[in-house]
Amino acid sequence: MQGQPAHPGQRHGRTGRPGRQPVRVRGHPQPGGGCLMADDGCRVPDGLAGWGAVPTPAGEFRLGPVRLPADLALLAGWMNDPEVDAFWELAGPPEVTERHVRAQLDGDGRSLPCLGLLDGEPMSYWEVYRADLDPLAAHYPARPFDTGVHLLLGPAASRGRGLGAVLLAALAELILRRNPRCERVVAEPDVRNRRSVRAFERAGFRAAAELDLPDKRAALMVRDRADGPAAQAQLPA
């Protein structure tokens, strides 16, 4: 299961346009100010990492901050997997991945790049962002503190066995529990990425609409706090 990069401006594929946010309207300047976790003033990935571990059917899951240059070789290797590149479009030398991640680390705190660790082993890449402060908000009825997520499962062995749904369910619950001002977790995978859409559905998200974004037609996936705790996704036997 693959997601979609939160910073399409760092792509060197279809769009190749500059940007620092999950969805960027061509020529739209990025607004300043605003951070991901407004309650605690978090402006760096360490804030999410401090949320602690979550038990899941697959093992203990936690987020850790991306560190450059230490994590660059790992991330660049994942981005050069053809299955990943089909939707993230960041294949190429490590500098391509570095620019993509560095734009977030040096940005205004609205998008946080993280490594997902399962029982201590890094196996996924996440981007958690303030959807309501993003150009994405012009394409759907955003609410204050809507939080968006993107997921990339790195090792090929992690894909195709229901792990994405397990981790998405865990992180959505964690976001809603740790950030009381956030009422919804949202995502906008490419509609062609049926594996990703199905994973969000199994994780308790609903398909709310299809959106024509600048670089793709996306499925707007929504997980509402009002729905109550989602049944935890299970790995297939």
Side-chain angles (χ1 to χ4, degrees):
M1 193 279 287
Q2 303 304 329
Q4 185 77 0
H7 294 271
Q10 302 304 320
R11 302 178 195 168
H12 290 259
R14 291 193 302 271
T15 58
R17 46 188 167 76
R20 298 191 310 168
Q21 293 295 321
V23 174
R24 178 177 170 91
V25 178
R26 193 183 301 272
H28 188 287
Q30 296 305 325
C35 58
L36 181 63
M37 299 296 134
D39 285 345
D40 61 7
C42 170
R43 302 184 65 85
V44 293
D46 305 69
L48 290 174
W51 286 0
V54 182
T56 79
E60 186 181 77
F61 173 70
R62 70 168 62 240
L63 290 180
V66 171
R67 306 291 192 188
L68 294 181
D71 298 323
L72 182 57
L74 177 67
L75 293 176
W78 292 347
M79 293 300 182
N80 277 278
D81 184 317
E83 186 176 349
V84 174
D85 183 52
F87 292 99
W88 284 73
E89 297 182 341
L90 288 171
E95 291 77 13
V96 176
T97 298
E98 182 175 19
R99 285 194 297 269
H100 175 83
V101 175
R102 181 69 67 186
Q104 298 170 79
L105 294 177
D106 294 344
D108 59 15
R110 297 184 188 185
S111 182
L112 304 181
C114 299
L115 283 177
L117 290 81
L118 197 60
D119 290 333
E121 291 296 321
M123 45 68 63
S124 54
Y125 171 71
W126 298 78
E127 293 171 339
V128 184
Y129 67 95
R130 278 287 298 270
D132 62 318
L133 300 180
D134 187 82
L136 173 64
H139 298 269
Y140 83 106
R143 299 177 189 172
F145 299 100
D146 276 358
T147 299
V149 297
H150 298 100
L151 165 62
L152 180 162
L153 294 179
S158 298
R159 305 175 208 149
R161 58 187 186 94
L163 185 56
V166 169
L167 301 185
L168 285 166
L171 183 58
E173 292 295 337
L174 188 60
I175 289 171
L176 293 171
R177 184 164 67 244
R178 292 287 190 172
N179 189 3
R181 300 180 75 175
C182 171
E183 294 295 328
R184 301 189 303 180
V185 181
V186 304
E188 22 80 21
D190 194 308
V191 295
R192 299 169 301 163
N193 195 345
R194 294 304 307 163
R195 182 183 294 181
S196 180
V197 173
R198 286 195 300 270
F200 278 105
E201 290 173 338
R202 290 196 300 270
F205 289 71
R206 59 183 172 84
E210 289 193 2
L211 309 177
D212 287 315
L213 302 181
D215 66 326
K216 65 181 178 180
R217 185 163 180 80
L220 177 66
M221 309 301 297
V222 178
R223 165 77 175 88
D224 284 285
R225 180 189 298 277
D227 293 336
Q232 191 170 42
Q234 299 289 323
L235 288 169

